[in-house]
Amino acid sequence: MDIDQSIQESLAGFETLWRRVTGRERAVQRQGTETPAPRFREEETLQALIREEQWAAAWNAAFARQFQGGGRAVLLAQAREARSRAGRLRGEYFICTGLSCAPKAACPPVSGRMTALRTAMLRQERLAQDYAQAAAQTAVPALRALYQDYA
């Protein structure tokens, strides 16, 4: 039975990834039979974006506690979206590096509704700029598409 071309293309890097996950790549590198893979360039960018999305999720959840009804529902939905984006970024980080990235979640203090909203708005604007900049700088097409989608 022939494997469809698209399936073959999607599995092209699987063996390398699986060697990293199982630790066999490090063992092969120690033996000197294979050159070490270069450090993933976008590692720091992904880590920073994951931290920001986790902050946004924690902040929206904490701020939602100050509201009732529709405002609360909107903030909780935004928290879910931020957690989803952070999870997707963590998945991309794992695929690219073979390592897990789970920074400790920080629960930011929420004081004064107007000040808190302004802080959140400024951070969201900066995060959108960070995504746009990361999209422009990455050499990985899948990450570029993800960053552009989140910008």
Side-chain angles (χ1 to χ4, degrees):
M1 177 181 351
D2 290 324
I3 296 179
D4 184 76
Q5 181 67 23
S6 64
I7 295 173
Q8 287 178 339
E9 290 172 1
S10 65
L11 294 175
F14 179 76
E15 184 59 36
T16 303
L17 172 64
W18 189 247
R19 282 196 317 264
R20 283 195 310 239
V21 170
T22 60
R24 287 186 291 186
E25 184 170 305
R26 280 179 247 131
V28 169
Q29 289 174 0
R30 280 192 298 264
Q31 294 171 358
T33 59
E34 193 174 298
T35 58
R39 183 181 169 101
F40 181 61
R41 283 187 293 177
E42 282 82 9
E43 183 175 351
E44 291 83 14
T45 300
L46 275 169
Q47 288 174 346
L49 292 171
I50 291 167
R51 275 192 304 276
E52 281 298 314
E53 291 293 357
Q54 286 183 320
W55 183 93
W59 186 90
N60 280 310
F63 197 47
R65 292 184 197 105
Q66 296 184 9
F67 289 92
Q68 302 275 332
R72 180 183 179 95
V74 168
L75 289 166
L76 290 175
Q78 289 175 349
R80 281 191 302 275
E81 290 171 8
R83 278 193 301 275
S84 175
R85 286 189 300 269
R88 177 76 191 270
L89 291 168
R90 281 193 308 271
E92 290 295 333
Y93 183 88
F94 179 78
I95 288 169
C96 294
T97 65
L99 303 171
S100 175
C101 178
K104 292 184 179 182
C107 187
V110 178
S111 61
R113 290 183 180 181
M114 296 309 288
T115 303
L117 284 173
R118 176 114 174 105
T119 300
M121 182 191 75
L122 293 174
R123 282 189 81 131
Q124 287 293 14
E125 286 177 354
R126 192 183 79 226
L127 184 57
Q129 291 170 352
D130 290 347
Y131 276 122
Q133 182 180 12
Q137 293 177 348
T138 187
V140 182
L143 285 177
R144 184 177 305 111
L146 184 66
Y147 294 156
Q148 289 171 342
D149 187 38
Y150 290 166

